[in-house]
Amino acid sequence: MRGFLASSIGVVTAAALALPLALSTPALAEAVPVVPGSTQSLPLVPLGPSTAARIPGVPGMSASPDLPETRGLAPRDVTTFSLVGVVWDDAAAELSGRVQVRTRSVATGAWSGWQDVDTHNGAHAADPDAVERGTGRVRGATAPLWVGPSDGVEIRVQAEHGSAPTRAAARPGRLPSGLRIELVDPGSALPSSPDGKNGASPASSPALPPDDDKGDVAATLPELSMGAAESSAVNVPHAPLGALEISALNKADSTADAIAADGELAAAARPYIGPRPRIVTRRGWGADESLREPGFVYTSTVKAAFVHHTASGNNYACKDAPAVLRSLYRYHVVSSGWRDFGYNFAVDKCGTVYEGRAGGVAKPVLGAHTMGFNADSMGVAVIGTYSSTAPPKAAVDAVARLTAWKLGLFGADPRAKTTLRSGGGNRYQKGSNVKLNVISGHRDGFATECPGRLLYNQLPPTRTASAKLQGR
């Protein structure tokens, strides 16, 4: 793995030296009460034929005792949650079968119909030999499913006939060991949404006096934990310490900003840096920085961008996107055992761009998004499922804007091909050099449906639009 760990102490110290500049910009937020998120993890139990017979209407779920193993939970009351997924002990094991859930809405008290949960999620992960994957905490996991505030759940998981859960010998029709349902509550964060499209202004923080270029960190930012300061500091000078968002810039200002932040920026990259989009920071969407591992891991450069969908469903409003992100983050770290949020950036259906994995939006942060090709790349996830639903134009346009800027920082042409070395996966052998589009879909590097057929079909025009924004 080509990566290195950045020191938290060094990052925060550097930020402290930059505070006079950072605090002169009116983008800080007041300390407000925050309700932390939570995760309920419930073991799935065997469901026998008699139990199945009492739960009619589940397509594909036969009650015959001769059919494959089935586990789940009967309908039950639970503490409020908004996102659901299933995890198991061995990250190398595949869940070959069908996962279905139904939930009870807090708002209406009504039960939903049965919903399928995507079981093919192993490709969204760290590379096989990455330190992140060898901690002993990583689990196998389905894709998460956003269901909105719910207080009741029922689940059934049935193995595929003749399937074995691991590469080792196992009885056909068995499920991976240690199956648990994860019920994630995103908690609450800053009271106003960072998405201006949903009626709340992103500038929710009080302005500092124009001549206040000193400031007292303890007095001005009393609510910033060490982890939050660490995460925010790596975005200085693009945004002040504690900022909820990084403002959009035109092409000329984006280039000047990039040169100011990195005096060694390659001369070849300078003419082709696209306009920077507005980016909601981790603090802006309410990331609990105590969940992730401290410090940051970087790769050498950014040669490619892999586009994903989260496969978490489309049943969310844009104003709820920060809550969806907090849930995905908690599911990645607490339930799946990753060091941080897997993707480098996320985009909601209204086209708002969000900072993903911590380490700095302009830096080559090593993600866990495309197994085998996380090194020297970035991962962009469009929130939703786009296999049979067309992605909104706003979201596609946002991917073009984001890639025009970020790839431009590293001199990459969105229309070009690049060569990446495989870290191992189900499509390319470890160590092989693979020629890929600079803007690729997840399925280009791994045998998966991601980013969904209809989002994948938008990548050719996205490459053209991204390159045009760069001035190519």
Side-chain angles (χ1 to χ4, degrees):
M1 179 194 73
R2 289 168 288 171
F4 62 91
L5 182 69
S7 164
S8 306
I9 297 174
V11 167
V12 176
T13 301
L17 295 174
L19 281 175
L21 169 64
L23 293 177
S24 64
T25 305
L28 304 177
E30 294 180 276
V32 295
V34 173
V35 178
S38 63
T39 302
Q40 302 168 75
S41 184
L42 308 175
L44 301 187
V45 300
L47 294 181
S50 59
T51 304
R54 293 196 299 269
I55 312 174
V58 185
M61 298 294 192
S62 171
S64 169
D66 298 326
L67 290 181
E69 180 182 9
T70 302
R71 286 181 173 266
L73 292 174
R76 63 175 59 199
D77 297 338
V78 292
T79 303
T80 301
F81 69 99
S82 293
L83 180 139
V84 61
V86 173
V87 299
W88 53 93
D89 295 338
D90 183 2
E94 291 187 10
L95 196 167
S96 297
R98 191 174 192 182
V99 177
Q100 293 185 307
V101 297
R102 66 188 193 112
T103 55
R104 185 178 60 205
S105 168
V106 168
T108 67
W111 283 87
S112 72
W114 289 97
Q115 299 185 75
D116 284 295
V117 178
D118 185 354
T119 61
H120 303 292
N121 194 53
H124 301 257
D127 290 351
D129 62 348
V131 172
E132 178 172 357
R133 200 171 177 85
T135 61
R137 298 191 302 272
V138 178
R139 303 180 185 91
T142 66
L145 179 67
W146 175 261
V147 294
S150 305
D151 59 8
V153 68
E154 180 179 9
I155 181 169
R156 289 178 60 83
V157 181
Q158 187 176 64
E160 212 171 68
H161 186 70
S163 66
T166 67
R167 289 167 293 188
R171 281 194 296 146
R174 305 297 294 175
L175 294 168
S177 62
L179 283 175
R180 306 180 71 87
I181 185 172
E182 304 286 292
L183 306 175
V184 181
D185 173 31
S188 65
L190 298 171
S192 60
S193 167
D195 183 356
K197 299 181 182 66
N198 290 279
S201 169
S204 59
S205 53
L208 297 174
D211 59 350
D212 184 2
D213 61 354
K214 299 181 178 65
D216 182 297
V217 182
T220 309
L221 298 168
E223 75 282 11
L224 275 189
S225 66
M226 178 62 78
E230 173 194 56
S231 176
S232 183
V234 284
N235 285 322
V236 175
H238 305 293
L241 192 68
L244 302 183
E245 65 174 60
I246 299 169
S247 61
L249 295 176
N250 62 31
K251 190 176 187 306
D253 288 342
S254 291
T255 302
D257 176 79
I259 293 171
D262 181 5
E264 298 180 0
L265 186 71
R270 296 183 185 187
Y272 299 115
I273 298 171
R276 186 177 72 196
R278 171 177 165 262
I279 303 171
V280 176
T281 65
R282 289 170 63 91
R283 187 161 186 261
W285 56 261
D288 180 351
E289 300 293 353
S290 69
L291 296 181
R292 66 173 175 84
E293 291 186 18
F296 314 114
V297 180
Y298 296 100
T299 185
S300 301
T301 186
V302 178
K303 298 168 66 177
F306 286 98
V307 178
H308 304 255
H309 66 175
T310 58
S312 52
N314 303 314
N315 188 29
Y316 73 94
C318 293
K319 66 181 177 59
D320 298 323
V324 177
L325 285 172
R326 292 195 301 274
S327 298
L328 293 171
Y329 171 45
R330 178 170 279 273
Y331 186 71
H332 285 180
V333 177
V334 177
S335 301
S336 304
W338 300 356
R339 64 169 287 115
D340 194 355
F341 189 73
Y343 309 105
N344 298 103
F345 296 93
V347 175
D348 71 22
K349 62 174 69 173
C350 288
T352 301
V353 177
Y354 300 86
E355 179 184 15
R357 180 163 288 208
V361 296
K363 298 181 183 294
V365 179
L366 182 70
H369 49 84
T370 307
M371 185 191 288
F373 293 101
N374 290 302
D376 296 343
S377 74
M378 61 183 272
V380 182
V382 181
I383 302 171
T385 303
Y386 300 105
S387 300
S388 57
T389 299
K393 183 179 185 299
V396 175
D397 290 347
V399 173
R401 292 195 307 273
L402 174 61
T403 52
W405 172 71
K406 184 64 181 275
L407 291 172
L409 296 177
F410 294 89
D413 181 347
R415 303 165 305 179
K417 303 276 188 180
T418 191
T419 300
L420 297 177
R421 183 179 294 274
S422 173
N426 67 359
R427 186 160 188 163
Y428 296 105
Q429 185 176 356
K430 181 180 177 180
S432 58
N433 291 321
V434 182
K435 183 172 283 191
L436 295 163
N437 287 306
V438 166
I439 297 180
S440 284
H442 187 182
R443 63 174 65 181
D444 294 320
F446 200 96
T448 174
E449 290 297 313
C450 184
R453 178 177 60 87
L454 296 183
L455 178 54
Y456 186 78
N457 289 346
Q458 291 298 314
L459 296 188
T462 298
R463 296 181 190 111
T464 302
S466 181
K468 185 175 181 180
L469 287 165
Q470 286 187 344
R472 297 182 187 270

